[in-house]
Amino acid sequence: MIVNRKVTTLDEFTIQQLRNFPKATGELSGLLRDMGLAAKRVNVEVNKAGLVDILGDYGSVNVQGEDVKKLDIFANNQFMGVLQHGISCAGIASEELDTFIAFDDEVSKNSKYICMFDPLDGSGNIDVNVSIGTIFSVYRRVTPLGTLPTEVDFLQPGRNQVAAGYMVYGSSTMLVYATRRGVNGFTLDPSIGEFCMSHPDMKCPDFGRIYSVNHGNFFQYTEGVRKYINTCQQKSKTNGGPYTQRYIGSMVADVHRNLIKGGIFMYPGTIDKPKGKLRLLYECNPFAFIAEVAGGKATDGEQRILDIVPTELHQRSPLFIGSKGMMEELESFI
Ligand code: P6P
């Protein structure tokens, strides 16, 4: 029996998108393929992280005589490397780097995009084998081509994003990215080393039964947030049963699950951390862009995440994100 399973790889899909827009230069498609390449390299290391003790602790020299770097730094260098040596990116900002980096070569200076990323979010979960991820955000630079990008290119509101995405290194490795035309998910097929389309045109259900929040901070949340959480635990007026609480301490995995099944993820501000813990530029904004393209919502409790005008690279923001109907329920409490 011949199984004609037409599988579309990430590379094929980005090139198909390019064909739909003949005026496109191919730089964004190239950037997304670069991110896919780096993700494959990171995936190899993440999957053997548990073996590090055998191969040599981070900070030591492994059996191949190479310096074993912390996985966060390794991941940062992989994403920075492909973008620096590509043709699409003028500079980057990363959770792992204090300041942004402008790529000082003629090709990069004439590239029209900048990229910001959290190279390995949730890396504290690596040694307990919980899924972790990468989050990235792409903007058109606002400074002239041919010059070095400056901070103004990085401090743009999230509504200016041209693309955003994440990788989740879990039971399978996925790459999900959004442009204004839609959200598409690709699953890595290790047998051919390619990301293959598995979740075309992802949409976030208007309602779900999952709410995700760290209950350990409950008494530090505002009254409105506490009231909403209590409602999630009681019979819900909108769709019948009480909700299910799912929170694994890895934002990429929690938000990815809620995006697919429907649900709400909350990292509210607390008394100790009024702005919460999550970073606006490379955690909140990319997921807010993806959620809105998929039909969901994302706010900081007062305003749309994508409307926040950043003032500094690593600023934090409270985050409420997920199914539109559940977000509107939440907003009635706060
Ligand atoms: P808490 C991981 O460190 C992270 O940045 C997110 O991935 C995750 O959702 C959050 O922190 C968990 O934080 O304070 O609930 O442990």
Side-chain angles (χ1 to χ4, degrees):
M1 175 181 76
I2 299 170
V3 176
N4 178 18
R5 191 165 60 99
K6 177 74 185 83
V7 169
T8 303
T9 67
L10 173 67
D11 291 11
E12 288 170 328
F13 182 75
T14 54
I15 290 165
Q16 281 167 14
Q17 294 301 298
L18 195 48
R19 288 168 62 93
N20 296 341
F21 295 86
K23 289 192 174 51
T25 61
E27 283 188 64
L28 181 60
S29 300
L31 188 151
L32 293 165
R33 287 198 299 278
D34 293 344
M35 295 300 279
L37 172 60
K40 286 188 258 188
R41 292 174 174 156
V42 169
N43 181 60
V44 168
E45 294 307 312
V46 167
N47 284 349
K48 69 182 178 187
L51 296 173
V52 166
D53 288 345
I54 302 169
L55 298 178
D57 263 335
Y58 294 124
S60 65
V61 174
N62 67 17
V63 290
Q64 288 86 2
E66 298 152 352
D67 287 342
V68 179
K69 294 187 183 309
K70 270 171 59 66
L71 268 185
D72 309 59
I73 302 302
F74 172 82
N76 181 74
N77 295 346
Q78 291 305 313
F79 289 106
M80 186 165 67
V82 294
L83 293 172
Q84 186 160 15
H85 300 115
I87 56 160
S88 318
C89 185
I92 58 115
S94 165
E95 179 174 58
E96 296 298 328
L97 302 171
D98 291 344
T99 62
F100 70 88
I101 291 186
F103 297 147
D104 191 359
D105 62 84
E106 283 317 304
V107 172
S108 299
K109 285 197 289 190
N110 283 287
S111 299
K112 64 183 176 185
Y113 296 113
I114 59 101
C115 187
M116 291 185 261
F117 49 79
D118 181 353
L120 210 56
D121 178 72
S123 50
N125 291 307
I126 292 173
D127 48 8
V128 292
N129 209 18
V130 165
S131 301
I132 55 179
T134 298
I135 315 165
F136 67 91
S137 182
V138 185
Y139 293 78
R140 194 169 283 103
R141 60 182 295 187
V142 295
T143 49
L145 293 184
T147 65
L148 288 174
T150 65
E151 192 172 54
V152 69
D153 292 305
F154 297 88
L155 297 183
Q156 300 184 53
R159 62 174 177 263
N160 289 6
Q161 289 173 94
V162 293
Y166 60 88
M167 295 78 169
V168 50
Y169 311 101
S171 50
S172 65
T173 295
M174 279 193 70
L175 183 151
V176 176
Y177 83 86
T179 62
R180 296 198 179 288
R181 291 190 292 278
V183 185
N184 290 284
F186 300 81
T187 300
L188 183 63
D189 179 344
S191 68
I192 57 170
E194 292 288 357
F195 282 103
C196 300
M197 183 174 278
S198 52
H199 296 67
D201 195 22
M202 292 169 71
K203 294 295 181 197
C204 184
D206 277 349
F207 276 98
R209 291 184 181 281
I210 298 171
Y211 76 100
S212 306
V213 69
N214 183 335
H215 271 271
N217 298 328
F218 181 82
F219 292 106
Q220 288 204 53
Y221 296 146
T222 62
E223 184 185 3
V225 170
R226 295 201 306 274
K227 280 183 177 172
Y228 176 69
I229 293 173
N230 286 335
T231 302
C232 292
Q233 295 172 306
Q234 293 152 14
K235 195 160 177 56
S236 155
K237 64 181 181 305
T238 38
N239 51 1
Y243 292 172
T244 293
Q245 204 268 349
R246 288 283 182 275
Y247 188 81
I248 70 168
S250 185
M251 174 189 197
V252 177
D254 280 321
V255 178
H256 174 70
R257 178 200 53 239
N258 294 3
L259 182 66
I260 292 175
K261 291 180 175 280
I264 188 168
F265 173 93
M266 299 173 273
Y267 205 105
T270 61
I271 296 166
D272 293 346
K273 300 177 187 170
K275 285 292 184 186
K277 173 183 182 184
L278 302 178
R279 309 287 186 170
L280 173 63
L281 291 185
Y282 39 79
E283 291 177 329
C284 300
N285 270 338
F287 272 118
F289 181 82
I290 294 164
E292 289 199 5
V293 174
K297 286 187 81 174
T299 76
D300 66 354
E302 291 171 3
Q303 64 181 313
R304 185 176 173 237
I305 288 286
L306 297 183
D307 287 338
I308 299 174
V309 179
T311 53
E312 53 186 72
L313 217 46
H314 300 291
Q315 72 185 67
R316 301 175 195 268
S317 169
L319 177 67
F320 302 87
I321 185 170
S323 296
K324 192 167 182 289
M326 298 176 81
M327 285 291 294
E328 287 165 356
E329 252 183 346
L330 164 72
E331 285 154 10
S332 68
F333 287 90
I334 53 176

